[in-house]
Amino acid sequence: MEDKTIIELYFARDEKAIDETRKKYGARLLALSLSITEDRLDSEECVNDTYLRTWNSIPPTQPRSFFGFIAKIVRNLSLDLCDRRSAQRRSATVVELSNELEEILPDEDIGDPVLADALNSFLHSLGDEAQYIFVRRYFYSESTAVIAKRTGRSETAIDSLLYRTRKNLKKHLESEGIKL
Amino acid sequence: MKRQDLYEKMSLIDEKIIEKNSAERFKRSRKPLFISLIAAAIALSMLTAVILPGMIEIGESTDEPTQETELPSSLPLPTVLKSPSGTIGGMPSKHIGDTELESKAGYDEMLDPRVPVDDKCAIVAVKAAELLPDTYSSLTNYGNIKQRDYRIFRMRVIDPMGTDFKGEFYYALRSDLFCDLREYDQLILAVVYPHYSLYLNQASGEITRFEHLFFSLLDRPDRCNLIAFTDSVLDPSVFYTEGWQNIMPNLLDDADGYGEELSIVRYGMSFEESVSKIKQRRTEFLDSLRDSRYFDLPFEYRITSAESLKAIDHYKSPDNGVYGIIYNGDTVTATRYINGCPTNEFLKISRRSDGTETLEYSEFKFDTEDMDALVDISAYIEALDLSSLPQPTLDAYMNTPSGDLTLGYSAAAGWYEKTESGVESFVSVFRIYTFNDSKYSVYLDAMHIRLTTGTPEFLDCKALEALIGNNQYASNYYMEAAFYPLLSY
């Protein structure tokens, strides 16, 4: 089913909307959550909560991209779940990725809209491959080994490209007046 | 002031971007047919050059040796330089930021003068005579410090194939790709000489220097520069070992030819025929090998402007020095290496969204006079007396309690800087730590040794910044340099 039709089902308050969402995107949402929580039961819980959160959000929200919209929800729920865990149980992936981005820590005074604008303008400025690798790493939380397979490049090349992209992101945020 | 966790804030990424990048595989954009054909032709020539002998003969004289590498008739044992006793300690430091170099000079200034080069690569036929029992490690740095482990073979040359390789040399094979090469009757290897020669023996913890060690360029999944023969017939079994299967899927999937679409070499080819084919195209192969070592641009990155093409030609030529190249999506940066160490001489080509290119150069270039004034950094590192170094202390890093960190390595990297007042030679010594709850590594405390005057002068980061007038060295040199592991803990 087309995303547009699924969204129409949500607007019509038709519960088939959730079934169709699960059918079309359930596996991808679970994979995304698993890459963050590293726990299947936790991830299944996050995915189920995603359906509920989506049901409660549409309407009134009209997503610009349906998958992007629900992917954000499942990612946030998975990260929230990780935050609730004790420090010992915090996912190694979350720690690793947070550490990788540790040199680019904006002040909390910077509002989300400002940060979102700066982040997205930076991503739009990247080439297709650099953007793909960055998003796979830091949004989808994938390992460099997986990204290497997806792109046909070596892990070393992925590491190198991510490193350069992080550096450029830092410069970009600073150039946008964001305090780091 | 509290900080935001940027990883969590990645949820702010635009939904369209998230969806655009949700595909399981990255799809490269389609190119016009004629460009694809040109790219395929370039790819084919490069790949066949590096990989395997060709079926198409090109009438080219092959008897003149082109390599100047002198090798002993039999190898000395590797030298143990120092044991990891003693500590590096001492000077306060900080994590160093970076800024862009400004470009002022034009391209024409880069063409002159010519300077000596350190560019050693070859294709040669050998027999594996010995496998050293221990694993040896080096460090690489692409944002994260990574240890790379090698098993090392002693190779005996059975056909120099037009080079000066007439004796024996050491050959380093990545441990994750290990295959006992002694089992094959002959091997044809495309080898390159690394910038560095010091390795950490994992068994003894000792730093070991190899005088004649070469290795393959194995990081590209679509390349192979190792050909094995059994009973004098090409034997692909080496690529069916576990590590190779991961990086050679295309070749292994090709049942009819031996990576037919890539290499034009086939199963059943004899050792003699392979040697003959390579000799006929040796110059081309060596050029390609040199390209792959230093200028490993993806094929889809097309340089188009006349000025950029001229610049590329310049830094590809071994007569103009050795450049390490880094490709970052839309930018290619070539950094000049001297004595295996990075310098502040660089060239950068950036591609704009409209397809045009911009070209930047470093302000300074190293000329012949500069080369004479440079200190041999590698020799200094080899002779470094660890116990004589000042004691660094660990600074707090991003509010991370020191208890969360484990000291991994101490390492050194050499680099050269040309300034308005002359050339400088530095060694930076720093510690590398790993977060206890992840594999992520950071280097935290650094000290610097200025060798320019002949008498080592110890500097902390602030003093170094005051001396050279910028703080770019951390990203521009640490990141590009070969690391010499000094101690293992």
Side-chain angles (χ1 to χ4, degrees):
Chain A
M1 185 179 283
E2 298 253 328
D3 285 356
K4 188 179 162 200
T5 312
I6 297 176
I7 292 170
E8 284 170 1
L9 288 174
Y10 277 104
F11 271 91
R13 310 312 291 161
D14 186 335
E15 291 183 11
K16 272 196 288 186
I18 293 178
D19 287 340
E20 294 299 333
T21 306
R22 179 184 289 115
K23 206 184 299 178
K24 187 168 184 182
Y25 293 120
R28 285 161 77 178
L29 294 175
L30 185 64
L32 202 166
S33 179
L34 263 175
S35 69
I36 296 170
T37 68
E38 298 172 359
D39 184 299
R40 188 169 185 91
L41 287 176
D42 283 348
S43 291
E44 285 173 355
E45 181 189 327
C46 289
V47 172
N48 283 330
D49 287 351
T50 300
Y51 299 136
L52 181 62
R53 187 75 66 91
T54 307
W55 178 260
N56 290 333
S57 303
I58 309 173
T61 307
Q62 174 76 48
R64 297 178 64 226
S65 152
F66 183 59
F67 177 71
F69 181 75
I70 59 177
K72 279 186 175 191
I73 293 175
V74 80
R75 184 178 190 273
N76 285 335
L77 289 171
S78 303
L79 287 169
D80 287 347
L81 188 143
C82 284
D83 280 346
R84 291 200 303 271
R85 289 172 169 171
S86 63
Q88 285 76 17
R89 285 196 65 218
R90 207 166 181 231
S91 152
T93 307
V94 172
V95 174
E96 180 182 342
L97 293 173
S98 294
N99 285 337
E100 280 185 27
L101 293 166
E102 200 166 23
E103 288 181 50
I104 319 168
L105 295 173
D107 277 356
E108 215 168 49
D109 299 343
I110 304 298
D112 280 356
V114 174
L115 186 57
D117 281 349
L119 182 60
N120 288 310
S121 66
F122 172 74
L123 289 172
H124 281 297
S125 75
L126 294 177
D128 283 348
E129 187 174 24
Q131 186 192 83
Y132 180 83
I133 291 169
F134 187 90
V135 172
R136 296 308 301 193
R137 180 68 174 153
Y138 298 117
F139 183 86
Y140 290 97
S141 309
E142 291 185 334
S143 69
T144 52
V146 168
I147 298 170
K149 282 187 181 171
R150 292 193 190 286
T151 56
R153 299 207 181 282
S154 68
E155 276 190 68
T156 305
I158 300 296
D159 280 340
S160 174
L161 197 144
L162 282 170
Y163 169 70
R164 300 279 160 181
T165 309
R166 288 197 303 269
K167 272 178 61 176
N168 290 335
L169 172 60
K170 186 178 179 183
K171 282 178 198 160
H172 178 80
L173 293 180
E174 286 171 336
S175 73
E176 295 281 310
I178 292 178
K179 276 189 184 175
L180 301 180
Chain B
M1 188 174 292
K2 287 186 76 176
R3 302 277 178 172
Q4 303 187 48
D5 184 334
L6 190 60
Y7 168 60
E8 292 193 11
K9 293 294 178 185
M10 288 296 160
S11 294
L12 296 172
I13 292 175
D14 186 274
E15 291 163 17
K16 293 265 186 195
I17 294 177
I18 294 166
E19 181 160 29
K20 177 188 167 194
N21 294 290
S22 64
E24 296 295 306
R25 291 216 164 264
F26 176 69
K27 295 182 181 111
R28 300 186 197 289
S29 55
R30 287 185 171 276
K31 297 182 277 288
L33 180 60
F34 75 96
I35 292 177
S36 298
L37 289 172
I38 292 169
I42 293 169
L44 186 64
S45 66
M46 288 181 71
L47 290 167
T48 52
V50 175
I51 299 173
L52 296 167
M55 296 292 286
I56 304 167
E57 296 191 9
I58 296 176
E60 183 178 332
S61 171
T62 60
D63 293 330
E64 290 296 318
T66 57
Q67 299 299 298
E68 300 301 326
T69 310
E70 294 293 338
L71 293 167
S73 57
S74 64
L75 279 173
L77 289 173
T79 310
V80 175
L81 293 177
K82 55 180 75 72
S83 64
S85 59
T87 56
I88 292 182
M91 297 182 70
S93 66
K94 63 178 182 178
H95 192 76
I96 301 160
D98 63 282
T99 54
E100 282 289 319
L101 281 174
E102 286 195 11
S103 167
K104 292 179 183 172
Y107 173 68
D108 287 338
E109 292 175 44
M110 294 194 68
L111 294 175
D112 192 60
R114 293 188 170 195
V115 291
V117 297
D118 175 18
D119 184 7
K120 298 174 180 176
C121 54
I123 300 172
V124 63
V126 302
K127 166 70 180 161
E130 182 189 3
L131 171 63
L132 301 191
D134 297 327
T135 298
Y136 292 84
S137 302
S138 67
L139 299 179
T140 59
N141 186 2
Y142 289 95
N144 292 353
I145 311 292
K146 284 190 174 175
Q147 175 180 315
R148 181 148 282 180
D149 297 335
Y150 296 95
R151 295 301 305 276
I152 296 180
F153 292 88
R154 181 165 57 88
M155 296 293 186
R156 182 173 299 134
V157 176
I158 55 179
D159 189 327
M161 300 176 67
T163 70
D164 282 348
F165 279 60
K166 293 188 171 70
E168 295 183 332
F169 63 92
Y170 288 111
Y171 176 77
L173 184 63
R174 269 169 39 190
S175 290
D176 58 320
L177 300 175
F178 177 74
C179 176
D180 193 345
L181 299 176
R182 293 172 300 178
E183 293 176 359
Y184 298 94
D185 297 328
Q186 299 100 359
L187 301 160
I188 295 177
L189 304 175
V191 296
V192 293
Y193 187 71
H195 289 316
Y196 46 93
S197 57
L198 304 181
Y199 296 83
L200 182 71
N201 182 321
Q202 286 293 331
S204 68
E206 294 167 329
I207 302 296
T208 305
R209 176 185 173 86
F210 287 89
E211 288 290 348
H212 299 283
L213 184 137
F214 292 77
F215 58 63
S216 295
L217 185 76
L218 299 170
D219 281 349
R220 287 290 297 264
D222 53 353
R223 285 194 184 152
C224 157
N225 47 11
L226 185 160
I227 317 167
F229 298 85
T230 299
D231 296 331
S232 288
V233 174
L234 192 149
D235 179 352
S237 61
V238 60
F239 304 124
Y240 287 91
T241 54
E242 188 180 346
W244 284 98
Q245 278 183 324
N246 294 331
I247 68 167
M248 301 291 293
N250 293 333
L251 292 187
L252 294 176
D253 287 346
D254 180 16
D256 300 324
Y258 185 20
E260 183 178 15
E261 78 278 14
L262 297 176
S263 68
I264 65 176
V265 170
R266 296 171 185 280
Y267 291 124
M269 183 175 279
S270 72
F271 170 69
E272 290 74 17
E273 186 183 5
S274 299
V275 169
S276 170
K277 298 290 184 190
I278 287 179
K279 282 182 176 177
Q280 288 161 5
R281 302 178 64 182
R282 189 190 57 218
T283 303
E284 177 191 346
F285 290 169
L286 287 174
D287 284 347
S288 176
L289 184 60
R290 192 176 295 114
D291 283 354
S292 68
R293 176 69 180 87
Y294 297 111
F295 315 110
D296 204 3
L297 278 180
F299 300 131
E300 68 270 20
Y301 193 96
R302 300 184 304 279
I303 305 292
T304 54
S305 76
E307 192 182 17
S308 297
L309 286 168
K310 191 178 172 190
I312 292 282
D313 282 345
H314 170 78
Y315 74 66
K316 274 191 172 183
S317 167
D319 294 336
N320 295 320
V322 174
Y323 291 79
I325 190 163
I326 290 179
Y327 164 70
N328 178 26
D330 297 317
T331 304
V332 175
T333 306
T335 302
R336 172 79 176 277
Y337 280 76
I338 298 173
N339 297 333
C341 299
T343 70
N344 63 330
E345 181 177 334
F346 75 94
L347 173 149
K348 184 191 281 186
I349 301 169
S350 303
R351 189 166 47 187
R352 297 195 193 96
S353 55
D354 63 3
T356 58
E357 291 153 8
T358 57
L359 205 53
E360 291 177 62
Y361 304 94
S362 50
E363 183 177 355
F364 298 110
K365 280 116 195 124
F366 287 77
D367 57 27
T368 308
E369 195 176 311
D370 296 328
M371 300 289 287
D372 294 338
L374 295 176
V375 173
D376 184 346
I377 287 175
S378 294
Y380 179 78
I381 292 176
E382 287 168 33
L384 198 58
D385 178 4
L386 300 176
S387 62
S388 71
L389 298 178
Q391 300 292 309
T393 54
L394 175 64
D395 264 3
Y397 175 77
M398 306 300 280
N399 300 320
T400 302
S402 58
D404 289 347
L405 300 170
T406 299
L407 184 56
Y409 281 101
S410 183
W415 48 282
Y416 296 110
E417 174 102 2
K418 184 169 181 178
T419 66
E420 286 180 356
S421 56
V423 291
E424 299 272 2
S425 305
F426 294 102
V427 170
S428 293
V429 180
F430 47 95
R431 287 176 167 181
I432 297 162
Y433 296 81
T434 305
F435 288 99
N436 291 339
D437 53 0
S438 81
K439 63 184 181 185
Y440 189 62
S441 299
V442 292
Y443 52 88
L444 293 182
D445 49 352
M447 56 167 295
H448 310 280
I449 309 169
R450 184 184 182 219
L451 302 173
T452 311
T453 61
T455 303
E457 183 183 348
F458 297 102
L459 305 170
D460 64 14
C461 297
K462 283 181 183 168
L464 177 62
E465 189 174 335
L467 177 70
I468 64 175
N470 64 65
N471 63 356
Q472 302 152 22
Y473 51 86
S475 57
N476 287 340
Y477 304 119
Y478 288 0
M479 294 302 109
E480 322 295 351
F483 289 91
Y484 297 88
L486 295 178
L487 291 178
S488 178
Y489 294 88

